[in-house]
Amino acid sequence: MSNDPEQHEPIISLVDVRKAYQAGRRQVQALGGIDLRIERGEWVAILGPSGCGKSTLLNLLSGIDRASSGEVNVLDRDLTTMSEERIARWRGRSIGIVFQFFQLMPTLTALENVMLPIQINARSSRNTRAKALLERVGIADLAGNFPNELSGGEQQRVAIARALANDPPILLADEPTGNLDSASGQLVLRLLEETWLDGTTLVLVTHDINVATYASRVITMRDGAIVEDVRTERRSVAAVAARGS
Ligand code: ADP
Protein backbone atom coordinates (compact mmCIF):
# COMPACT_ATOMS: atom_id res chain seq x y z
CA MET A 1 0.00 0.00 0.00
CA SER A 2 1.35 3.46 -0.80
CA ASN A 3 1.36 6.16 1.83
CA ASP A 4 0.38 9.01 -0.47
CA PRO A 5 -2.42 10.70 1.47
CA GLU A 6 -3.85 12.27 -1.70
CA GLN A 7 -5.11 8.84 -2.79
CA HIS A 8 -6.82 7.81 0.42
CA GLU A 9 -10.16 8.33 2.10
CA PRO A 10 -10.57 9.98 5.51
CA ILE A 11 -10.17 7.52 8.35
CA ILE A 12 -10.57 10.06 11.15
CA SER A 13 -12.82 13.09 11.08
CA LEU A 14 -13.39 15.56 13.93
CA VAL A 15 -15.76 18.51 13.67
CA ASP A 16 -15.79 21.30 16.29
CA VAL A 17 -14.74 18.93 19.06
CA ARG A 18 -14.62 20.32 22.59
CA LYS A 19 -13.60 18.63 25.79
CA ALA A 20 -13.95 20.11 29.25
CA TYR A 21 -12.87 18.47 32.50
CA GLN A 22 -14.24 19.27 35.91
CA ALA A 23 -11.30 19.73 38.27
CA GLY A 24 -12.93 20.31 41.64
CA ARG A 25 -15.05 23.44 41.21
CA ARG A 26 -12.97 24.60 38.25
CA GLN A 27 -13.71 23.67 34.65
CA VAL A 28 -10.66 23.02 32.46
CA GLN A 29 -11.22 23.45 28.73
CA ALA A 30 -8.76 20.81 27.42
CA LEU A 31 -9.89 21.07 23.78
CA GLY A 32 -11.64 24.10 22.38
CA GLY A 33 -13.14 23.40 18.98
CA ILE A 34 -10.93 20.98 17.04
CA ASP A 35 -11.54 20.36 13.33
CA LEU A 36 -9.35 17.60 11.93
CA ARG A 37 -9.38 15.15 9.04
CA ILE A 38 -6.81 12.39 8.78
CA GLU A 39 -6.52 10.27 5.65
CA ARG A 40 -5.76 6.57 5.54
CA GLY A 41 -2.00 6.00 5.36
CA GLU A 42 -0.86 9.25 6.94
CA TRP A 43 1.74 9.52 9.70
CA VAL A 44 0.57 12.41 11.78
CA ALA A 45 2.62 13.86 14.62
CA ILE A 46 0.73 15.93 17.16
CA LEU A 47 3.25 18.31 18.63
CA GLY A 48 2.93 20.77 21.48
CA PRO A 49 3.96 21.56 25.05
CA SER A 50 2.74 19.65 28.07
CA GLY A 51 -0.88 20.42 28.93
CA CYS A 52 -1.93 21.63 25.45
CA GLY A 53 -4.43 18.79 25.00
CA LYS A 54 -2.51 16.18 22.97
CA SER A 55 -3.37 13.17 25.14
CA THR A 56 -6.95 14.31 25.45
CA LEU A 57 -7.21 14.40 21.66
CA LEU A 58 -5.68 10.93 21.35
CA ASN A 59 -8.05 9.54 23.99
CA LEU A 60 -11.02 10.84 22.00
CA LEU A 61 -9.74 9.09 18.85
CA SER A 62 -9.54 5.74 20.67
CA GLY A 63 -12.86 6.26 22.44
CA ILE A 64 -11.14 5.95 25.84
CA ASP A 65 -12.64 9.35 26.59
CA ARG A 66 -15.71 11.13 25.20
CA ALA A 67 -15.98 14.60 23.70
CA SER A 68 -18.12 17.17 25.55
CA SER A 69 -19.49 18.26 22.16
CA GLY A 70 -18.77 17.95 18.44
CA GLU A 71 -18.43 15.02 16.03
CA VAL A 72 -15.84 12.26 16.39
CA ASN A 73 -15.81 9.84 13.48
CA VAL A 74 -13.21 7.10 13.33
CA LEU A 75 -13.30 4.33 10.71
CA ASP A 76 -16.89 5.30 9.83
CA ARG A 77 -18.04 4.99 13.47
CA ASP A 78 -19.62 7.86 15.32
CA LEU A 79 -17.89 7.53 18.69
CA THR A 80 -20.10 10.16 20.32
CA THR A 81 -23.18 7.92 20.20
CA MET A 82 -21.76 4.40 20.61
CA SER A 83 -22.12 2.62 23.97
CA GLU A 84 -18.98 2.04 26.07
CA GLU A 85 -19.30 -1.68 25.50
CA ARG A 86 -19.46 -1.39 21.72
CA ILE A 87 -16.59 1.09 21.71
CA ALA A 88 -14.47 -1.33 23.77
CA ARG A 89 -15.11 -4.19 21.32
CA TRP A 90 -14.54 -1.92 18.32
CA ARG A 91 -11.31 -0.52 19.85
CA GLY A 92 -9.89 -4.02 20.37
CA ARG A 93 -10.27 -4.76 16.66
CA SER A 94 -9.52 -1.38 15.17
CA ILE A 95 -7.04 0.61 17.23
CA GLY A 96 -3.59 -0.22 18.56
CA ILE A 97 -2.36 2.00 21.37
CA VAL A 98 1.18 2.54 22.61
CA PHE A 99 1.72 4.55 25.82
CA GLN A 100 4.70 6.40 27.26
CA PHE A 101 4.87 4.10 30.30
CA PHE A 102 4.16 0.88 28.35
CA GLN A 103 1.19 -0.21 30.53
CA LEU A 104 2.08 -3.90 30.44
CA MET A 105 0.44 -6.28 32.91
CA PRO A 106 3.20 -6.88 35.50
CA THR A 107 2.03 -10.41 36.41
CA LEU A 108 2.08 -11.65 32.81
CA THR A 109 5.10 -12.59 30.69
CA ALA A 110 5.90 -10.69 27.50
CA LEU A 111 4.23 -13.46 25.48
CA GLU A 112 1.10 -13.46 27.67
CA ASN A 113 0.86 -9.66 27.45
CA VAL A 114 0.81 -9.91 23.66
CA MET A 115 -1.59 -12.88 23.65
CA LEU A 116 -4.15 -11.14 25.86
CA PRO A 117 -5.81 -8.87 23.27
CA ILE A 118 -5.54 -11.26 20.30
CA GLN A 119 -9.08 -11.94 19.11
CA ILE A 120 -8.71 -15.56 18.06
CA ASN A 121 -10.48 -18.30 20.00
CA ALA A 122 -7.95 -21.13 19.98
CA ARG A 123 -5.23 -20.59 22.59
CA SER A 124 -2.62 -22.36 20.45
CA SER A 125 -3.28 -19.98 17.54
CA ARG A 126 -3.07 -16.98 19.88
CA ASN A 127 0.24 -18.33 21.13
CA THR A 128 1.59 -18.72 17.58
CA ARG A 129 0.47 -15.22 16.61
CA ALA A 130 1.94 -13.65 19.76
CA LYS A 131 5.28 -15.36 19.09
CA ALA A 132 5.26 -14.05 15.51
CA LEU A 133 4.54 -10.53 16.79
CA LEU A 134 7.42 -10.69 19.28
CA GLU A 135 9.60 -11.94 16.43
CA ARG A 136 8.54 -8.96 14.35
CA VAL A 137 9.65 -6.51 17.05
CA GLY A 138 12.91 -8.40 17.51
CA ILE A 139 12.51 -9.84 21.02
CA ALA A 140 11.21 -13.39 20.54
CA ASP A 141 13.96 -14.60 22.88
CA LEU A 142 12.43 -12.57 25.74
CA ALA A 143 8.94 -14.08 25.41
CA GLY A 144 9.08 -15.73 28.85
CA ASN A 145 10.32 -12.64 30.73
CA PHE A 146 8.13 -10.54 32.98
CA PRO A 147 8.01 -6.76 32.38
CA ASN A 148 10.25 -6.00 35.38
CA GLU A 149 12.93 -8.23 33.83
CA LEU A 150 12.97 -6.11 30.67
CA SER A 151 14.56 -2.74 29.87
CA GLY A 152 12.33 0.21 29.00
CA GLY A 153 13.05 -0.23 25.29
CA GLU A 154 12.23 -3.94 25.45
CA GLN A 155 8.99 -3.23 27.32
CA GLN A 156 7.99 -0.73 24.68
CA ARG A 157 8.67 -3.32 21.98
CA VAL A 158 6.36 -5.75 23.78
CA ALA A 159 3.78 -2.96 23.94
CA ILE A 160 4.10 -2.41 20.18
CA ALA A 161 3.65 -6.14 19.54
CA ARG A 162 0.54 -6.04 21.76
CA ALA A 163 -0.78 -2.98 19.91
CA LEU A 164 -0.47 -4.89 16.63
CA ALA A 165 -2.30 -7.94 18.02
CA ASN A 166 -5.33 -7.63 15.74
CA ASP A 167 -3.60 -5.91 12.84
CA PRO A 168 -5.37 -2.59 13.50
CA PRO A 169 -5.76 -0.06 10.67
CA ILE A 170 -4.91 2.75 13.12
CA LEU A 171 -2.04 2.93 15.59
CA LEU A 172 -2.06 5.66 18.25
CA ALA A 173 1.14 6.39 20.15
CA ASP A 174 1.32 8.74 23.14
CA GLU A 175 4.92 9.90 23.71
CA PRO A 176 6.18 6.39 22.81
CA THR A 177 9.84 7.40 23.19
CA GLY A 178 9.30 9.80 26.09
CA ASN A 179 10.64 7.41 28.70
CA LEU A 180 13.49 5.86 26.68
CA ASP A 181 17.16 6.61 26.07
CA SER A 182 17.87 7.83 22.55
CA ALA A 183 19.10 4.47 21.15
CA SER A 184 16.00 2.60 22.40
CA GLY A 185 13.85 5.49 21.23
CA GLN A 186 15.26 5.21 17.69
CA LEU A 187 14.56 1.46 17.68
CA VAL A 188 10.97 2.06 18.72
CA LEU A 189 10.60 4.73 16.03
CA ARG A 190 11.94 2.29 13.44
CA LEU A 191 9.31 -0.27 14.44
CA LEU A 192 6.62 2.38 14.18
CA GLU A 193 7.99 3.38 10.78
CA GLU A 194 7.89 -0.25 9.57
CA THR A 195 4.30 -0.53 10.74
CA TRP A 196 3.42 2.69 8.95
CA LEU A 197 5.17 1.50 5.76
CA ASP A 198 2.99 -1.64 5.97
CA GLY A 199 -0.03 0.65 5.58
CA THR A 200 -1.08 1.42 9.15
CA THR A 201 -2.26 4.97 9.79
CA LEU A 202 -0.12 6.38 12.59
CA VAL A 203 -0.99 9.20 14.96
CA LEU A 204 1.88 9.98 17.31
CA VAL A 205 1.76 12.49 20.14
CA THR A 206 5.03 14.09 21.15
CA HIS A 207 6.50 17.23 22.67
CA ASP A 208 9.80 16.43 20.91
CA ILE A 209 10.26 18.29 17.63
CA ASN A 210 12.93 15.79 16.58
CA VAL A 211 10.46 12.88 16.81
CA ALA A 212 7.92 14.90 14.81
CA THR A 213 10.33 15.20 11.85
CA TYR A 214 9.69 11.52 10.99
CA ALA A 215 6.00 12.16 10.38
CA SER A 216 4.48 13.01 7.00
CA ARG A 217 2.29 15.66 8.62
CA VAL A 218 2.87 17.74 11.73
CA ILE A 219 0.00 19.26 13.68
CA THR A 220 0.99 21.77 16.34
CA MET A 221 -1.29 22.42 19.31
CA ARG A 222 -1.40 25.21 21.89
CA ASP A 223 -3.93 25.63 24.68
CA GLY A 224 -6.41 23.08 23.33
CA ALA A 225 -6.34 24.33 19.74
CA ILE A 226 -4.58 23.40 16.49
CA VAL A 227 -2.32 26.32 15.59
CA GLU A 228 -0.43 24.78 12.64
CA ASP A 229 -1.01 21.82 10.32
CA VAL A 230 1.64 21.08 7.68
CA ARG A 231 2.44 18.18 5.39
CA THR A 232 6.20 17.81 5.46
CA GLU A 233 9.14 16.21 3.70
CA ARG A 234 9.63 13.49 6.29
CA ARG A 235 12.92 12.00 7.45
CA SER A 236 13.30 8.23 7.32
CA VAL A 237 14.16 6.65 10.68
CA ALA A 238 15.98 3.81 8.90
CA ALA A 239 18.08 6.26 6.85
CA VAL A 240 18.98 8.34 9.91
CA ALA A 241 20.03 5.15 11.73
CA ALA A 242 22.15 4.04 8.75
CA ARG A 243 23.93 7.42 8.75
CA GLY A 244 24.40 7.13 12.51
CA SER A 245 23.15 10.66 13.18
P1 ADP B 1 -0.90 17.02 26.98
O1 ADP B 1 -1.13 15.61 26.56
O2 ADP B 1 -0.65 17.95 25.83
O3 ADP B 1 0.15 17.14 28.05
P2 ADP B 1 -3.50 16.76 28.25
O4 ADP B 1 -4.42 16.38 27.16
O5 ADP B 1 -3.00 15.69 29.16
O6 ADP B 1 -2.25 17.57 27.65
O7 ADP B 1 -4.19 17.86 29.17
C1 ADP B 1 -4.84 19.03 28.64
C2 ADP B 1 -5.44 19.83 29.79
O8 ADP B 1 -6.51 19.11 30.38
C3 ADP B 1 -4.45 20.13 30.92
O9 ADP B 1 -4.75 21.39 31.45
C4 ADP B 1 -4.77 19.03 31.92
O10 ADP B 1 -4.44 19.44 33.22
C5 ADP B 1 -6.27 18.87 31.76
N1 ADP B 1 -6.72 17.49 32.05
C6 ADP B 1 -6.40 16.36 31.36
N2 ADP B 1 -7.01 15.28 31.88
C7 ADP B 1 -7.75 15.73 32.93
C8 ADP B 1 -8.61 15.12 33.88
N3 ADP B 1 -8.86 13.80 33.83
N4 ADP B 1 -9.19 15.92 34.82
C9 ADP B 1 -8.97 17.25 34.85
N5 ADP B 1 -8.18 17.89 33.98
C10 ADP B 1 -7.56 17.16 33.04
Side-chain angles (χ1 to χ4, degrees), residues 21-23 28-30 48-57 174 205:
Y21 290 110
Q22 201 65 39
V28 179
Q29 187 76 28
S50 176
C52 72
K54 304 182 300 295
S55 300
T56 301
L57 179 60
D174 195 348
V205 156

Side-chain angles (χ1 to χ4, degrees), residues 16-202:
D16 197 18
V17 169
R18 292 164 198 273
K19 176 69 187 179
Y21 290 110
Q22 201 65 39
R25 269 186 283 166
R26 220 163 44 94
Q27 240 211 12
V28 179
Q29 187 76 28
L31 296 176
I34 299 281
D35 291 302
L36 174 62
R37 212 177 122 111
I38 295 176
E39 317 286 324
R40 200 176 277 275
E42 285 192 281
W43 177 343
V44 178
I46 300 182
L47 183 67
S50 176
C52 72
K54 304 182 300 295
S55 300
T56 301
L57 179 60
L58 214 61
N59 288 342
L60 297 185
L61 300 184
S62 63
I64 287 176
D65 211 346
R66 266 186 208 275
S68 306
S69 66
E71 291 171 29
V72 179
N73 252 280
V74 182
L75 288 161
D76 288 328
R77 299 297 164 102
D78 177 357
L79 299 191
T80 54
T81 57
M82 267 164 82
S83 70
E84 299 270 323
E85 200 187 327
R86 282 189 54 216
I87 288 181
R89 260 184 284 131
W90 165 85
R91 184 189 308 122
R93 287 193 307 274
S94 312
I95 312 277
I97 312 179
V98 178
F99 301 96
Q100 178 174 1
F101 295 104
F102 328 129
Q103 317 260 38
L104 300 175
M105 301 281 281
T107 56
L108 300 181
T109 64
L111 185 75
E112 288 163 345
N113 265 283
V114 178
M115 279 176 73
L116 200 61
I118 296 176
Q119 295 186 359
I120 306 175
N121 281 334
R123 188 182 164 86
S124 63
S125 309
R126 282 210 310 279
N127 189 294
T128 307
R129 171 142 181 86
K131 280 185 178 154
L133 285 163
L134 285 176
E135 188 92 47
R136 177 161 158 195
V137 299
I139 48 168
D141 52 327
L142 300 174
N145 287 50
F146 289 93
N148 68 2
E149 299 169 329
L150 302 172
S151 70
E154 288 162 351
Q155 288 185 63
Q156 195 61 302
R157 288 200 265 168
V158 176
I160 292 172
R162 177 185 59 182
L164 300 178
N166 298 307
D167 227 346
I170 299 176
L171 187 61
L172 306 177
D174 195 348
E175 301 276 8
T177 60
N179 200 35
L180 303 178
D181 61 73
S182 66
S184 305
Q186 283 302 112
L187 246 169
V188 160
L189 286 168
R190 275 184 80 171
L191 289 172
L192 295 176
E193 179 172 74
E194 280 168 21
T195 308
W196 175 70
L197 289 169
D198 281 346
T200 308
T201 304
L202 180 56

